mmCIF file of all heavy atoms in Angstrom:
data_model
loop_
_atom_site.group_PDB
_atom_site.id
_atom_site.type_symbol
_atom_site.label_atom_id
_atom_site.label_comp_id
_atom_site.label_asym_id
_atom_site.label_seq_id
_atom_site.Cartn_x
_atom_site.Cartn_y
_atom_site.Cartn_z
ATOM 1 N N ARG W 233 64.438 126.114 174.017
ATOM 2 C CA ARG W 233 65.175 127.361 174.155
ATOM 3 C C ARG W 233 64.226 128.537 174.383
ATOM 4 O O ARG W 233 64.550 129.477 175.113
ATOM 5 C CB ARG W 233 66.009 127.595 172.899
ATOM 6 C CG ARG W 233 66.761 128.907 172.851
ATOM 7 C CD ARG W 233 67.644 128.960 171.624
ATOM 8 N NE ARG W 233 68.270 130.265 171.467
ATOM 9 C CZ ARG W 233 69.134 130.573 170.498
ATOM 10 N NH1 ARG W 233 69.473 129.651 169.610
ATOM 11 N NH2 ARG W 233 69.650 131.782 170.413
ATOM 12 N N HIS W 234 63.046 128.478 173.777
ATOM 13 C CA HIS W 234 62.105 129.592 173.850
ATOM 14 C C HIS W 234 60.922 129.327 174.774
ATOM 15 O O HIS W 234 60.387 130.264 175.375
ATOM 16 C CB HIS W 234 61.580 129.909 172.445
ATOM 17 C CG HIS W 234 62.639 130.385 171.513
ATOM 18 N ND1 HIS W 234 63.006 131.702 171.416
ATOM 19 C CD2 HIS W 234 63.430 129.712 170.631
ATOM 20 C CE1 HIS W 234 63.968 131.832 170.515
ATOM 21 N NE2 HIS W 234 64.241 130.638 170.025
ATOM 22 N N TYR W 235 60.499 128.070 174.871
ATOM 23 C CA TYR W 235 59.314 127.741 175.652
ATOM 24 C C TYR W 235 59.559 126.487 176.487
ATOM 25 O O TYR W 235 60.367 125.637 176.118
ATOM 26 C CB TYR W 235 58.110 127.478 174.736
ATOM 27 C CG TYR W 235 57.797 128.571 173.764
ATOM 28 C CD1 TYR W 235 57.981 128.381 172.389
ATOM 29 C CD2 TYR W 235 57.301 129.802 174.186
ATOM 30 C CE1 TYR W 235 57.680 129.385 171.476
ATOM 31 C CE2 TYR W 235 56.998 130.807 173.287
ATOM 32 C CZ TYR W 235 57.199 130.596 171.933
ATOM 33 O OH TYR W 235 56.903 131.581 171.046
ATOM 34 N N ARG W 236 58.816 126.400 177.562
ATOM 35 C CA ARG W 236 58.802 125.157 178.331
ATOM 36 C C ARG W 236 57.409 124.962 178.907
ATOM 37 O O ARG W 236 56.691 125.920 179.202
ATOM 38 C CB ARG W 236 59.841 125.170 179.447
ATOM 39 C CG ARG W 236 59.565 126.156 180.556
ATOM 40 C CD ARG W 236 60.645 126.080 181.635
ATOM 41 N NE ARG W 236 60.377 127.013 182.728
ATOM 42 C CZ ARG W 236 59.608 126.730 183.772
ATOM 43 N NH1 ARG W 236 59.021 125.539 183.856
ATOM 44 N NH2 ARG W 236 59.406 127.626 184.712
ATOM 45 N N ILE W 237 57.007 123.713 179.053
ATOM 46 C CA ILE W 237 55.763 123.369 179.735
ATOM 47 C C ILE W 237 56.067 122.230 180.689
ATOM 48 O O ILE W 237 56.935 121.402 180.441
ATOM 49 C CB ILE W 237 54.638 122.975 178.757
ATOM 50 C CG1 ILE W 237 55.092 121.865 177.797
ATOM 51 C CG2 ILE W 237 54.136 124.180 177.981
ATOM 52 C CD1 ILE W 237 53.973 121.324 176.910
ATOM 53 N N ASP W 238 55.350 122.187 181.796
ATOM 54 C CA ASP W 238 55.617 121.197 182.829
ATOM 55 C C ASP W 238 54.313 120.547 183.280
ATOM 56 O O ASP W 238 53.751 120.883 184.318
ATOM 57 C CB ASP W 238 56.324 121.862 184.015
ATOM 58 C CG ASP W 238 56.792 120.854 185.057
ATOM 59 O OD1 ASP W 238 56.837 119.639 184.734
ATOM 60 O OD2 ASP W 238 57.108 121.264 186.184
ATOM 61 N N GLY W 239 53.804 119.673 182.424
ATOM 62 C CA GLY W 239 52.625 118.895 182.773
ATOM 63 C C GLY W 239 51.310 119.644 182.760
ATOM 64 O O GLY W 239 50.445 119.367 183.608
ATOM 65 N N PRO W 240 51.080 120.598 181.842
ATOM 66 C CA PRO W 240 49.794 121.301 181.826
ATOM 67 C C PRO W 240 48.653 120.365 181.433
ATOM 68 O O PRO W 240 48.800 119.513 180.559
ATOM 69 C CB PRO W 240 50.001 122.377 180.760
ATOM 70 C CG PRO W 240 51.008 121.795 179.825
ATOM 71 C CD PRO W 240 51.936 121.010 180.701
ATOM 72 N N ILE W 241 47.521 120.539 182.094
ATOM 73 C CA ILE W 241 46.321 119.764 181.781
ATOM 74 C C ILE W 241 45.469 120.591 180.834
ATOM 75 O O ILE W 241 45.082 121.715 181.149
ATOM 76 C CB ILE W 241 45.534 119.423 183.058
ATOM 77 C CG1 ILE W 241 46.394 118.550 183.973
ATOM 78 C CG2 ILE W 241 44.213 118.722 182.706
ATOM 79 C CD1 ILE W 241 45.812 118.346 185.355
ATOM 80 N N ASN W 242 45.177 120.057 179.669
ATOM 81 C CA ASN W 242 44.357 120.749 178.676
ATOM 82 C C ASN W 242 43.123 119.915 178.397
ATOM 83 O O ASN W 242 43.124 119.047 177.532
ATOM 84 C CB ASN W 242 45.148 120.981 177.387
ATOM 85 C CG ASN W 242 44.318 121.705 176.336
ATOM 86 O OD1 ASN W 242 43.463 122.504 176.672
ATOM 87 N ND2 ASN W 242 44.577 121.420 175.074
ATOM 88 N N GLU W 243 42.078 120.173 179.147
ATOM 89 C CA GLU W 243 40.811 119.469 178.957
ATOM 90 C C GLU W 243 39.680 120.474 178.847
ATOM 91 O O GLU W 243 39.639 121.437 179.618
ATOM 92 C CB GLU W 243 40.556 118.508 180.128
ATOM 93 C CG GLU W 243 41.520 117.340 180.213
ATOM 94 C CD GLU W 243 41.434 116.403 179.024
ATOM 95 O OE1 GLU W 243 40.359 116.382 178.358
ATOM 96 O OE2 GLU W 243 42.422 115.711 178.743
ATOM 97 N N PRO W 244 38.766 120.290 177.943
ATOM 98 C CA PRO W 244 38.790 119.274 176.892
ATOM 99 C C PRO W 244 39.763 119.660 175.784
ATOM 100 O O PRO W 244 40.034 120.837 175.576
ATOM 101 C CB PRO W 244 37.354 119.292 176.372
ATOM 102 C CG PRO W 244 36.930 120.724 176.571
ATOM 103 C CD PRO W 244 37.587 121.171 177.840
ATOM 104 N N LYS W 245 40.275 118.667 175.104
ATOM 105 C CA LYS W 245 41.222 118.938 174.020
ATOM 106 C C LYS W 245 40.521 119.415 172.751
ATOM 107 O O LYS W 245 41.129 120.059 171.902
ATOM 108 C CB LYS W 245 42.063 117.699 173.736
ATOM 109 C CG LYS W 245 43.023 117.366 174.880
ATOM 110 C CD LYS W 245 43.822 116.124 174.598
ATOM 111 C CE LYS W 245 44.945 115.940 175.599
ATOM 112 N NZ LYS W 245 44.506 115.962 177.005
ATOM 113 N N GLY W 246 39.258 119.089 172.622
ATOM 114 C CA GLY W 246 38.479 119.503 171.472
ATOM 115 C C GLY W 246 37.111 118.857 171.529
ATOM 116 O O GLY W 246 36.785 118.148 172.481
ATOM 117 N N ALA W 247 36.306 119.130 170.518
ATOM 118 C CA ALA W 247 34.960 118.564 170.479
ATOM 119 C C ALA W 247 35.002 117.102 170.062
ATOM 120 O O ALA W 247 35.852 116.694 169.269
ATOM 121 C CB ALA W 247 34.097 119.360 169.501
ATOM 122 N N GLY W 248 34.105 116.329 170.623
ATOM 123 C CA GLY W 248 33.954 114.944 170.197
ATOM 124 C C GLY W 248 35.133 114.053 170.508
ATOM 125 O O GLY W 248 35.343 113.028 169.843
ATOM 126 N N GLY W 249 35.952 114.440 171.484
ATOM 127 C CA GLY W 249 37.090 113.615 171.866
ATOM 128 C C GLY W 249 38.234 113.622 170.882
ATOM 129 O O GLY W 249 39.086 112.731 170.906
ATOM 130 N N ARG W 250 38.295 114.613 169.995
ATOM 131 C CA ARG W 250 39.383 114.704 169.027
ATOM 132 C C ARG W 250 40.023 116.082 169.111
ATOM 133 O O ARG W 250 39.418 117.040 169.575
ATOM 134 C CB ARG W 250 38.874 114.461 167.601
ATOM 135 C CG ARG W 250 37.788 115.441 167.174
ATOM 136 C CD ARG W 250 37.393 115.265 165.719
ATOM 137 N NE ARG W 250 38.451 115.625 164.820
ATOM 138 C CZ ARG W 250 38.733 116.867 164.433
ATOM 139 N NH1 ARG W 250 38.039 117.889 164.914
ATOM 140 N NH2 ARG W 250 39.693 117.109 163.586
ATOM 141 N N LYS W 251 41.262 116.167 168.643
ATOM 142 C CA LYS W 251 41.960 117.449 168.655
ATOM 143 C C LYS W 251 41.474 118.329 167.508
ATOM 144 O O LYS W 251 40.953 117.835 166.501
ATOM 145 C CB LYS W 251 43.464 117.229 168.531
ATOM 146 C CG LYS W 251 43.930 116.798 167.148
ATOM 147 C CD LYS W 251 45.432 116.728 167.078
ATOM 148 C CE LYS W 251 45.913 116.472 165.646
ATOM 149 N NZ LYS W 251 45.620 117.602 164.738
ATOM 150 N N PRO W 252 41.640 119.654 167.612
ATOM 151 C CA PRO W 252 41.317 120.526 166.477
ATOM 152 C C PRO W 252 42.250 120.270 165.297
ATOM 153 O O PRO W 252 43.353 119.739 165.460
ATOM 154 C CB PRO W 252 41.557 121.935 167.050
ATOM 155 C CG PRO W 252 41.520 121.780 168.538
ATOM 156 C CD PRO W 252 42.048 120.408 168.808
ATOM 157 N N ASP W 253 41.808 120.668 164.121
ATOM 158 C CA ASP W 253 42.670 120.606 162.944
ATOM 159 C C ASP W 253 43.705 121.725 163.022
ATOM 160 O O ASP W 253 43.355 122.881 163.264
ATOM 161 C CB ASP W 253 41.849 120.776 161.665
ATOM 162 C CG ASP W 253 41.079 119.513 161.297
ATOM 163 O OD1 ASP W 253 41.343 118.464 161.910
ATOM 164 O OD2 ASP W 253 40.226 119.585 160.401
ATOM 165 N N LEU W 254 44.972 121.380 162.786
ATOM 166 C CA LEU W 254 46.050 122.362 162.838
ATOM 167 C C LEU W 254 46.455 122.742 161.418
ATOM 168 O O LEU W 254 46.867 121.899 160.620
ATOM 169 C CB LEU W 254 47.253 121.798 163.592
ATOM 170 C CG LEU W 254 48.473 122.719 163.695
ATOM 171 C CD1 LEU W 254 48.116 124.001 164.437
ATOM 172 C CD2 LEU W 254 49.638 122.003 164.379
ATOM 173 N N TRP W 255 46.344 124.032 161.099
ATOM 174 C CA TRP W 255 46.755 124.580 159.811
ATOM 175 C C TRP W 255 48.004 125.433 160.029
ATOM 176 O O TRP W 255 47.990 126.338 160.865
ATOM 177 C CB TRP W 255 45.651 125.465 159.219
ATOM 178 C CG TRP W 255 44.438 124.718 158.754
ATOM 179 C CD1 TRP W 255 43.655 123.867 159.487
ATOM 180 C CD2 TRP W 255 43.861 124.785 157.447
ATOM 181 N NE1 TRP W 255 42.633 123.391 158.718
ATOM 182 C CE2 TRP W 255 42.720 123.944 157.468
ATOM 183 C CE3 TRP W 255 44.175 125.479 156.292
ATOM 184 C CZ2 TRP W 255 41.910 123.766 156.344
ATOM 185 C CZ3 TRP W 255 43.374 125.310 155.173
ATOM 186 C CH2 TRP W 255 42.246 124.457 155.196
ATOM 187 N N LEU W 256 49.054 125.148 159.285
ATOM 188 C CA LEU W 256 50.269 125.940 159.377
ATOM 189 C C LEU W 256 50.405 126.801 158.127
ATOM 190 O O LEU W 256 50.272 126.314 157.009
ATOM 191 C CB LEU W 256 51.505 125.044 159.536
ATOM 192 C CG LEU W 256 51.540 124.190 160.802
ATOM 193 C CD1 LEU W 256 52.868 123.440 160.884
ATOM 194 C CD2 LEU W 256 51.329 125.023 162.064
ATOM 195 N N GLY W 257 50.668 128.089 158.329
ATOM 196 C CA GLY W 257 50.801 129.016 157.225
ATOM 197 C C GLY W 257 52.253 129.346 156.939
ATOM 198 O O GLY W 257 53.071 129.451 157.862
ATOM 199 N N GLY W 258 52.575 129.503 155.668
ATOM 200 C CA GLY W 258 53.937 129.845 155.280
ATOM 201 C C GLY W 258 54.546 128.756 154.421
ATOM 202 O O GLY W 258 54.215 127.578 154.554
ATOM 203 N N GLY W 259 55.468 129.167 153.567
ATOM 204 C CA GLY W 259 56.066 128.211 152.639
ATOM 205 C C GLY W 259 57.527 127.942 152.879
ATOM 206 O O GLY W 259 58.220 127.464 151.976
ATOM 207 N N GLY W 260 58.022 128.238 154.096
ATOM 208 C CA GLY W 260 59.426 127.964 154.402
ATOM 209 C C GLY W 260 59.746 126.496 154.165
ATOM 210 O O GLY W 260 59.123 125.613 154.758
ATOM 211 N N GLU W 261 60.723 126.247 153.311
ATOM 212 C CA GLU W 261 60.954 124.877 152.860
ATOM 213 C C GLU W 261 61.715 124.024 153.860
ATOM 214 O O GLU W 261 61.557 122.800 153.871
ATOM 215 C CB GLU W 261 61.678 124.908 151.506
ATOM 216 C CG GLU W 261 60.843 125.591 150.423
ATOM 217 C CD GLU W 261 61.503 125.586 149.060
ATOM 218 O OE1 GLU W 261 62.604 124.995 148.929
ATOM 219 O OE2 GLU W 261 60.925 126.160 148.120
ATOM 220 N N LYS W 262 62.541 124.652 154.702
ATOM 221 C CA LYS W 262 63.352 123.881 155.645
ATOM 222 C C LYS W 262 62.657 123.654 156.980
ATOM 223 O O LYS W 262 62.901 122.639 157.632
ATOM 224 C CB LYS W 262 64.691 124.579 155.870
ATOM 225 C CG LYS W 262 65.578 124.628 154.635
ATOM 226 C CD LYS W 262 66.907 125.299 154.939
ATOM 227 C CE LYS W 262 67.806 125.333 153.715
ATOM 228 N NZ LYS W 262 69.111 126.005 154.006
ATOM 229 N N VAL W 263 61.814 124.613 157.398
ATOM 230 C CA VAL W 263 61.178 124.503 158.713
ATOM 231 C C VAL W 263 59.670 124.285 158.588
ATOM 232 O O VAL W 263 59.147 123.238 158.982
ATOM 233 C CB VAL W 263 61.465 125.748 159.575
ATOM 234 C CG1 VAL W 263 60.735 125.628 160.924
ATOM 235 C CG2 VAL W 263 62.959 125.912 159.812
ATOM 236 N N THR W 264 58.971 125.259 158.015
ATOM 237 C CA THR W 264 57.507 125.220 158.047
ATOM 238 C C THR W 264 56.936 123.991 157.349
ATOM 239 O O THR W 264 56.091 123.278 157.903
ATOM 240 C CB THR W 264 56.921 126.490 157.428
ATOM 241 O OG1 THR W 264 57.421 127.630 158.140
ATOM 242 C CG2 THR W 264 55.407 126.474 157.507
ATOM 243 N N LEU W 265 57.379 123.720 156.141
ATOM 244 C CA LEU W 265 56.808 122.589 155.407
ATOM 245 C C LEU W 265 57.193 121.247 156.032
ATOM 246 O O LEU W 265 56.443 120.274 155.944
ATOM 247 C CB LEU W 265 57.210 122.655 153.942
ATOM 248 C CG LEU W 265 56.631 123.850 153.182
ATOM 249 C CD1 LEU W 265 57.100 123.866 151.737
ATOM 250 C CD2 LEU W 265 55.101 123.839 153.235
ATOM 251 N N LYS W 266 58.341 121.201 156.679
ATOM 252 C CA LYS W 266 58.717 119.991 157.409
ATOM 253 C C LYS W 266 57.802 119.802 158.616
ATOM 254 O O LYS W 266 57.399 118.676 158.936
ATOM 255 C CB LYS W 266 60.178 120.080 157.851
ATOM 256 C CG LYS W 266 60.710 118.795 158.467
ATOM 257 C CD LYS W 266 62.200 118.899 158.735
ATOM 258 C CE LYS W 266 62.760 117.598 159.287
ATOM 259 N NZ LYS W 266 64.231 117.701 159.530
ATOM 260 N N LEU W 267 57.445 120.908 159.284
ATOM 261 C CA LEU W 267 56.518 120.838 160.414
ATOM 262 C C LEU W 267 55.128 120.411 159.950
ATOM 263 O O LEU W 267 54.433 119.677 160.644
ATOM 264 C CB LEU W 267 56.442 122.190 161.120
ATOM 265 C CG LEU W 267 57.688 122.611 161.905
ATOM 266 C CD1 LEU W 267 57.563 124.063 162.353
ATOM 267 C CD2 LEU W 267 57.918 121.694 163.107
ATOM 268 N N VAL W 268 54.723 120.886 158.777
ATOM 269 C CA VAL W 268 53.445 120.454 158.212
ATOM 270 C C VAL W 268 53.426 118.937 158.049
ATOM 271 O O VAL W 268 52.472 118.263 158.453
ATOM 272 C CB VAL W 268 53.182 121.137 156.850
ATOM 273 C CG1 VAL W 268 51.966 120.504 156.164
ATOM 274 C CG2 VAL W 268 52.964 122.634 157.030
ATOM 275 N N ALA W 269 54.497 118.401 157.471
ATOM 276 C CA ALA W 269 54.564 116.962 157.240
ATOM 277 C C ALA W 269 54.529 116.171 158.544
ATOM 278 O O ALA W 269 53.968 115.073 158.594
ATOM 279 C CB ALA W 269 55.835 116.626 156.457
ATOM 280 N N LYS W 270 55.093 116.742 159.592
ATOM 281 C CA LYS W 270 55.208 116.006 160.855
ATOM 282 C C LYS W 270 53.986 116.161 161.750
ATOM 283 O O LYS W 270 53.575 115.203 162.419
ATOM 284 C CB LYS W 270 56.459 116.473 161.602
ATOM 285 C CG LYS W 270 56.793 115.635 162.822
ATOM 286 C CD LYS W 270 58.150 116.010 163.393
ATOM 287 C CE LYS W 270 58.525 115.103 164.566
ATOM 288 N NZ LYS W 270 59.862 115.459 165.124
ATOM 289 N N TYR W 271 53.395 117.369 161.765
ATOM 290 C CA TYR W 271 52.370 117.644 162.782
ATOM 291 C C TYR W 271 51.017 118.109 162.244
ATOM 292 O O TYR W 271 50.009 117.982 162.948
ATOM 293 C CB TYR W 271 52.877 118.733 163.738
ATOM 294 C CG TYR W 271 54.059 118.340 164.578
ATOM 295 C CD1 TYR W 271 55.300 118.952 164.397
ATOM 296 C CD2 TYR W 271 53.946 117.373 165.578
ATOM 297 C CE1 TYR W 271 56.395 118.618 165.177
ATOM 298 C CE2 TYR W 271 55.032 117.035 166.366
ATOM 299 C CZ TYR W 271 56.260 117.658 166.162
ATOM 300 O OH TYR W 271 57.328 117.314 166.935
ATOM 301 N N ALA W 272 50.968 118.717 161.067
ATOM 302 C CA ALA W 272 49.775 119.478 160.681
ATOM 303 C C ALA W 272 48.761 118.667 159.894
ATOM 304 O O ALA W 272 49.067 117.620 159.316
ATOM 305 C CB ALA W 272 50.189 120.714 159.878
#
């Protein structure tokens, strides 16, 4: 609804062939913490 991407190439993805560590801030119990469990 808010964003779309259509095949963007992101190289390099990070150092040493690995992705960066993703830190999510906020204590929203229904959205943010669920996103932490799934992605962060």
Side-chain angles (χ1 to χ4, degrees):
R233 176 175 174 178
H234 296 273
Y235 306 112
R236 67 179 181 86
I237 53 173
D238 187 15
I241 298 170
N242 180 31
E243 293 296 337
K245 292 179 169 54
R250 59 175 293 278
K251 73 175 187 66
D253 284 349
L254 179 61
W255 290 56
L256 298 185
E261 298 182 3
K262 294 182 179 179
V263 178
T264 302
L265 294 179
K266 187 173 183 179
L267 290 170
V268 170
K270 189 171 184 180
Y271 294 113

